[in-house]
Amino acid sequence: MAPDARDQVTGDRGGAAAEELARFPTRPGAEATGRAPHAPRWPRDGSPDPGAPAGSTGPAMVPLPDTAGARDAVTRLHAYGCWYPSADPDGTQVAFICDRGGVPQLWAGPVNGEGVRLLDSAPDPVTEVSWSPDGRWIAYTTAPGGGEHARVLCVRPDGTGRRLLAGGGTAGAAHLGCWAHDGSVLAVTVASPALDTDGRPAVPEPDESAPTGRPGTLRWLDGKAGGHGDATPLDVAARPGEPGPVRASGGATVLRAPSARPAAGLSAYLVDPDGASAPVLLAAETHAATLRVCDLSPDGRLALLRRGPRGRREAVVRRTADSTVTFSMPVADGDPWIGRFSPDGRTLWLRSNADREYAALLAVAFDAHGRQRALTVAAERDDQDLELLSMAQDGRTAVLAWNAQGATELELVETFPAPPAPDRAGPARPVALPHEVVTRVAAAGSGRLLIGLSGSQRRPGIWWAHEGVSLLRTPWSSRDEDAVPPGRPPVRPAALRFTARDGLPLSGWYYRAPGRAAVEPAPCVLHLHGGPEEQERPVLAPLYHELLGRGLDVFAPDVRGSSGHGKSFVDADLGTGRFAAIDDVADCAGHAVAAGLADPTRLAVMGRSYGGYLVFASLVWHPELFRTGVAVCGMSDLPAFFAGTEPWIAESAVHKYGHPERDRDLLRALSPMNRVDALRVPVLAVHGEHDTNVRPAESERFVRAARERGVPAELLTLRDEGHDFLRADNRRLFRRSAADWLERHLLR
């Protein structure tokens, strides 16, 4: 990364808007809503920012019909999960995501009672939830059609007043940020589409040669009509999108590296959900990978943003009055909510792996101008990442979730004022957990926390803790009784540790099918997670349960590039290191065989997203190892992936995979399509029809190429799904189709 990349958050504001932002007069009616009289009010000036990306405009609020009437979905699932809790100010009510209606939807109800209610009965999956600090609104993000073009909405706690705040277009997207501490405004990030040379949205042309069979069914790809059948990609070489100079906070002029896609951008706005004020542009970037507003200081002077590509994220502190970047520091991938300001705004609590192998809790002290005065390490562990950081409602209790080789260890740390240095942290108090993995922690009134939990024996659920003493399961939380058939409980995985051919330590979780003797080599499915910066965790996976019930073992490893094993492990697959990651797959299979667990003649490989890419790659780099493969939403041609994906995803992926122009030869060499002649075994590809992260053409071209070479191949396209499969009926179809395929090729 360039040494001055920290100053590349652009979109400086000036004039009347900046002056008004600096004054923060009290919002009319603040006392009536319980808002402190001195709380900041955000300006009404919504004028365009000269530094904003082309096509960047403030989001327009759209009132939507109230969600009055029947609240429950027509069909209720017997087994469901609840996750992503967010509490009201006094902690008695909680909004959360639940899929009891067959799709993740927004629900709310009492923390310690029944009577939960559905707040939005629309069919669009909900992905994030945030209750406003003043209790008047619940903001949430949905994925229309299951795709990547998310939008941000808000609704009153009683289900009325539902309105669209940002997103909803066909070419852009919007993402949820934080609330101002008084609840007056919500930060949202709006992604503007890539523009071609005529200023029109640049999107891949449709693949006219692809078959048009009904999505949601298995279909053969003919591959004869229309020639090669590749989707027409954007001509990245013809439109490299070279950015102009950017003014850094220190006055220097810096140049960014060439973009991975035509000009696009991300813009962060402050939006008044009441509609009394026009949106205010807080920050903007062209050729952006990520841009999320994680916190605003209580007095509104400072904003904490998370920006940058995968593997090179940054925390940026920005003064709201004059848009000056006063502080930046590298932070780890993973949970985007990287930090929080102290109640007085002079200390930033930050989750960062800057200059260290594992992420730790840092305390950064600021002077009156928002510049760093001192920095201390408040909490750290030698071999564990701090993966979640939350603050209790008082702003003085930090909740730390440590990644202990895939499981979570939770602890509370009190902070104390220590001017002029950063706040001091007291001794850690561990919190006993009933399940292995914490997925989210949220404040729930004075002394209480809401904790999202998951584990190898349970579906995701929500628990609440009082004073950190004990955890109680919410009465409406996930229902587990019908998650698995009677007499076949979930399988607890065993941890395996071994080394790759080049000596790098690897690990994974092995699931043994019920009823099989420990010394009996079994048909085994090697399952590879996505990312690649994700991590295999010991949580209940319905897919694994389906495969285990068919008599198939499952081995789920972390190959190089996975998170949870330190920064060096995450970076070990960069550049030509990806060839070693492909070899890791073979080494994982070899270890399962050498340990006497897996039958070498009955091995399959399966994975989703980046794991899907590894499936394609493993089948053509190591064609002798596996009897079959199942690739889910995987990339088969990396240059085509860059041309077809969303602009912000392309920008984020450059560091991980390589630049589509400068590293074109490497990307071609790493593309499974470049070696498809080596394919020898049947393959099933699965894709969501609305996936704009990895376009369906990536699966289509590989399946078509396999068929042209006489290798059996099928494609399952799931309706109303994007990169993640969120609807219960589609997930069920996917699991059963994949299990049928694997059973047919491994057991018969």
Side-chain angles (χ1 to χ4, degrees):
M1 174 179 291
D4 48 13
R6 66 187 63 185
D7 294 321
Q8 292 178 3
V9 176
T10 62
D12 302 330
R13 294 190 62 82
E19 295 174 3
E20 188 175 1
L21 194 58
R23 291 197 298 269
F24 294 135
T26 302
R27 179 179 182 175
E31 295 82 355
T33 62
R35 193 172 295 124
H38 61 276
R41 171 172 114 31
W42 303 95
R44 297 175 180 271
D45 187 324
S47 57
D49 190 305
S56 171
T57 58
M61 189 179 306
V62 180
L64 299 172
D66 288 343
T67 54
R71 299 300 173 93
D72 278 349
V74 176
T75 302
R76 293 279 293 274
L77 298 182
H78 292 294
Y80 54 82
C82 300
W83 62 95
Y84 216 103
S86 183
D88 69 350
D90 61 11
T92 59
Q93 298 280 319
V94 57
F96 57 96
I97 302 173
C98 182
D99 63 353
R100 64 170 64 190
V103 63
Q105 292 174 303
L106 177 64
W107 292 74
V111 170
N112 57 356
E114 300 286 353
V116 294
R117 57 197 183 275
L118 180 63
L119 293 183
D120 189 344
S121 57
D124 297 332
V126 175
T127 57
E128 291 183 302
V129 180
S130 182
W131 206 313
S132 67
D134 60 8
R136 298 182 308 118
W137 293 101
I138 300 172
Y140 57 108
T141 305
T142 67
E148 311 307 310
H149 294 153
R151 57 183 191 167
V152 176
L153 303 94
C154 67
V155 67
R156 300 283 189 187
D158 62 0
T160 63
R162 192 168 63 106
R163 58 195 60 185
L164 175 66
L165 297 183
T170 59
H175 305 281
L176 188 65
C178 67
W179 286 95
H181 284 246
D182 67 343
S184 60
V185 291
L186 173 71
V188 298
T189 296
V190 177
S192 58
L195 302 178
D196 63 15
T197 54
D198 297 323
R200 297 174 298 185
V203 297
E205 297 177 11
D207 182 358
E208 300 296 343
S209 66
T212 57
R214 176 178 174 82
T217 59
L218 285 169
R219 55 189 173 92
W220 296 99
L221 289 186
D222 191 344
K224 295 180 180 179
H228 58 77
D230 287 348
T232 303
L234 292 173
D235 185 358
V236 180
R239 296 189 297 273
E242 286 280 359
V246 176
R247 185 179 65 81
S249 60
T253 298
V254 298
L255 287 175
R256 296 195 188 122
S259 172
R261 286 284 303 272
L266 298 176
S267 305
Y269 290 90
L270 301 175
V271 179
D272 179 0
D274 292 310
S277 302
V280 174
L281 182 61
L282 182 63
E285 281 195 76
T286 55
H287 312 293
T290 54
L291 184 66
R292 186 187 290 252
V293 185
C294 297
D295 196 24
L296 297 164
S297 62
D299 60 7
R301 293 186 309 108
L302 302 175
L304 171 65
L305 298 97
R306 174 181 178 263
R307 67 168 302 278
R310 289 154 51 181
R312 293 295 183 270
R313 309 287 193 196
E314 286 185 306
V316 174
V317 173
R318 183 184 180 98
R319 281 203 306 257
T320 57
D322 58 9
S323 298
T324 299
V325 174
T326 62
F327 169 83
S328 67
M329 174 175 286
V331 293
D333 283 322
D335 187 69
W337 305 104
I338 55 174
R340 185 77 181 267
F341 290 105
S342 62
D344 60 7
R346 65 175 180 77
T347 298
L348 172 65
W349 298 99
L350 189 64
R351 180 180 65 86
S352 171
N353 62 351
D355 302 320
R356 56 196 319 110
E357 190 68 18
Y358 292 91
L361 176 64
L362 307 183
V364 186
F366 295 123
D367 62 18
H369 302 288
R371 296 188 177 90
Q372 177 184 334
R373 173 181 291 171
L375 185 149
T376 60
V377 178
E380 63 179 330
R381 295 191 178 186
D382 291 338
D383 58 352
Q384 295 178 11
D385 268 318
L386 176 61
E387 64 177 355
L388 294 177
L389 167 63
S390 184
M391 301 295 291
Q393 192 178 52
D394 61 5
R396 291 294 181 192
T397 304
V399 188
L400 312 180
W402 300 94
N403 186 326
Q405 297 178 344
T408 300
E409 294 181 4
L410 194 69
E411 61 186 17
L412 308 180
V413 174
E414 302 299 326
T415 64
F416 307 94
D423 288 2
R424 293 180 293 107
R429 292 182 289 149
V431 178
L433 298 173
H435 302 300
E436 292 97 323
V437 178
V438 172
T439 59
R440 182 167 171 81
V441 180
S446 178
R448 290 192 294 186
L449 299 170
L450 286 170
I451 301 175
L453 280 171
S454 190
S456 61
Q457 305 297 293
R458 285 289 180 94
R459 299 178 72 84
I462 297 173
W463 298 63
W464 68 285
H466 189 269
E467 300 295 344
V469 176
S470 61
L471 269 66
L472 300 175
R473 187 182 178 197
T474 53
W476 38 260
S477 194
S478 58
R479 181 175 176 179
D480 306 302
E481 292 81 4
D482 301 322
V484 297
R488 186 161 61 87
V491 173
R492 287 190 182 276
L496 296 184
R497 288 176 174 79
F498 50 100
T499 58
R501 63 189 64 185
D502 62 357
L504 184 70
L506 300 177
S507 62
W509 298 92
Y510 198 94
Y511 297 77
R512 194 72 163 165
R516 178 171 290 118
V519 295
E520 178 187 355
C524 179
V525 179
L526 194 70
H527 189 274
L528 305 166
H529 63 68
E533 307 93 336
E534 296 177 13
Q535 181 187 10
E536 192 66 35
R537 311 297 291 270
V539 297
L540 178 60
L543 171 64
Y544 296 176
H545 191 77
E546 180 83 33
L547 298 176
L548 293 166
R550 305 290 187 100
L552 304 172
D553 283 9
V554 177
F555 182 27
D558 286 334
V559 300
R560 69 189 69 201
S562 304
S563 63
H565 306 279
K567 186 191 302 184
S568 298
F569 193 86
V570 172
D571 288 346
D573 66 345
L574 299 182
T576 57
R578 197 153 317 281
F579 292 109
I582 297 171
D583 287 339
D584 284 350
V585 179
D587 293 343
C588 291
H591 177 76
V593 170
L597 298 168
D599 181 346
T601 67
R602 293 187 292 172
L603 291 174
V605 61
M606 180 179 184
R608 193 194 72 82
S609 190
Y610 176 73
Y613 160 79
L614 285 180
V615 170
F616 288 142
S618 299
L619 294 181
V620 297
W621 260 273
H622 302 287
E624 73 287 350
L625 268 183
F626 301 104
R627 188 178 285 189
T628 188
V630 179
V632 185
C633 300
M635 305 96 77
S636 63
D637 186 324
L638 292 178
F641 157 72
F642 273 103
T645 190
E646 300 288 356
W648 59 93
I649 295 175
E651 295 293 343
S652 190
V654 164
H655 167 74
K656 201 65 185 175
Y657 301 123
H659 194 278
E661 282 302 311
R662 297 193 303 270
D663 303 313
R664 178 175 290 272
D665 290 343
L666 174 63
L667 294 180
R668 290 193 182 279
L670 286 167
S671 295
M673 283 297 298
N674 199 45
R675 297 174 60 97
V676 72
D677 287 339
L679 183 66
R680 297 289 182 270
V681 298
V683 61
L684 170 66
V686 186
H687 229 106
E689 67 169 336
H690 299 313
D691 189 353
T692 58
N693 183 327
V694 177
R695 299 276 179 177
E698 292 294 303
S699 290
E700 292 170 0
R701 63 169 56 92
F702 194 89
V703 170
R704 183 179 296 109
R707 296 280 296 158
E708 290 172 347
R709 287 158 178 79
V711 179
E714 294 183 30
L715 173 66
L716 171 63
T717 300
L718 296 178
R719 301 182 65 191
D720 297 322
E721 297 288 4
H723 197 60
D724 297 305
F725 305 154
L726 302 176
R727 303 177 191 280
D729 54 349
N730 281 330
R731 293 199 304 267
R732 215 163 20 240
L733 172 62
F734 159 60
R735 292 195 303 267
R736 293 173 180 174
S737 298
D740 287 345
W741 178 274
L742 292 166
E743 184 178 9
R744 182 163 71 248
H745 290 283
L746 293 184
L747 297 181
R748 299 176 186 173

